[in-house]
Amino acid sequence: MYEFAVAPAVQNIRRRGVEIGEVSPDSLGSELELESGDRIIKVNGRVVRDYLDFRFQTAGETELMLEVRKKSGEDWELQIERGEGEDFGLSFEQIVPRQCANECIFCFCKGNPADARPSLFIKDEDVRLSFLYGNYTTLTSISEDEMQRIVEQRLSPQYVSIHATDLAVRAYLLGVDEHRADISSKLVRLLDAGIEIHAQVVLCPGINDGEVLRKTIDDLAAEYPRITSVAIVPLGLTRYNTDARLTAVTPDFCRQTIAEITAIQGDLRKRLGTTFAFLGDEIYLRAGGSVPARAHYGEYPQIEDGIGMVRTFSNEFAALMRRLGRRPPGQPASVNGTILTGLLFAPVLRPLIEKMNSRFGTRLYVEGVENNYFGGDVSVAGLLTGGDLLASQSRIRGDFVVIPKSTLKSDEEIMLDGMKLLELSERFGLPVYPMDLKSFSQFLFRQN
Ligand code: SF4
């Protein structure tokens, strides 16, 4: 166990090469008789570890030597000439995340019920996923090989959880010693190599707030524009994470944080021309206030981390209302159903939907759903489970139910507690539509 806990995040790949998922018909891949299940081991003599390697090593090359392990067990060597920009027409297996070697006191894995889906317990710490999807890493156990790879393959931007630039506080939060917590030389090396960094702070009351947070923002802002932005998101506690070192985020704490950080943001905008240090939407909503205006967010550098999502939604909703306003009068009055969402977002959505109802005659009802599965202070829509949604059955009105699309697994219509969408629909006795704003807007237009 101990060995595993300190193993570097980047470990040797157990299986060689990268497995081909699908081969498009009439593509270069199918002409080469590559098939699903074959593994590409090397490109021009260089080992391929995953599809990023394949992409990097084949980019711009017209003459290539591929070493392939066929799924039959045969080894092939393929000498290829291809046209400039000609695609292989191959899709590949997903990247298997490297495991994290920290013991963060607020780790989300500790907040899961014991019977949660196994994938919810994966502690990923992978610079490839950081580059591809904006997943945060701490860089505490990154290997030399992976550092070189970021630079060589330009895996930029990278998303790094800093939490605090005070080393003792960072080490405490990550549950590692100060030597491992100290990533200053790694950061400098990446920044010097031109890798863009976005930073994150998980704000834990009494630990990395106040003076520690001010210092963190100052230290990171000193590296702007090489460090592009900082996302400050609140600690989330479920009923299962009962670590006595953690204090729950309260509305008062959120209001105090907003007051302190708004002043700092004003100064940063004057000095840097950007807000730079952004507070998560959740902090504004839990404070009972509204989120800042569009201009606050610039290019929305941290939208995937819940920074500016509500503002984007409100603006897109306003655009939807304008589009509906251009429809013939009376449309889309036939729509009659209930929208279920998290307790945090319901007060934002309800007035917007009520405006739509009064202007267009729709009959849509917004119901906030409590999260009993995780409990604690979890109130975001994406963590609602089938059981939570079912518990709101008595409040459902109309002919259909809309649920947040984010409650479903990205590749399967199943919720966090294992309930399938079909079962939810059967239990409600109504069609259930998982939607985001885009599909909601398409849905409204389809009704006409
Ligand atoms: S919060 Fe992230 S970095 Fe910390 S222990 Fe959990 S998975 Fe690892």
Side-chain angles (χ1 to χ4, degrees), residues 100 102-104 106-108 123-125 138:
C100 143
N102 301 322
E103 284 297 336
C104 295
F106 52 77
C107 182
F108 57 89
K123 293 166 68 176
D124 71 287
E125 163 97 344
T138 63

Side-chain angles (χ1 to χ4, degrees), residues 265 279 281 284 290-297 300 311:
Q265 288 169 334
L279 292 175
D281 294 355
Y284 294 102
S290 55
V291 296
R294 161 80 190 82
H296 176 90
Y297 295 102
Y300 291 99
R311 173 50 56 211

Side-chain angles (χ1 to χ4, degrees), residues 142-157:
I142 187 169
S143 69
E144 175 56 28
D145 178 48
E146 205 69 353
M147 283 291 284
Q148 282 178 16
R149 182 175 184 177
I150 294 174
V151 174
E152 185 192 7
Q153 298 186 354
R154 311 300 305 160
L155 302 185
S156 176

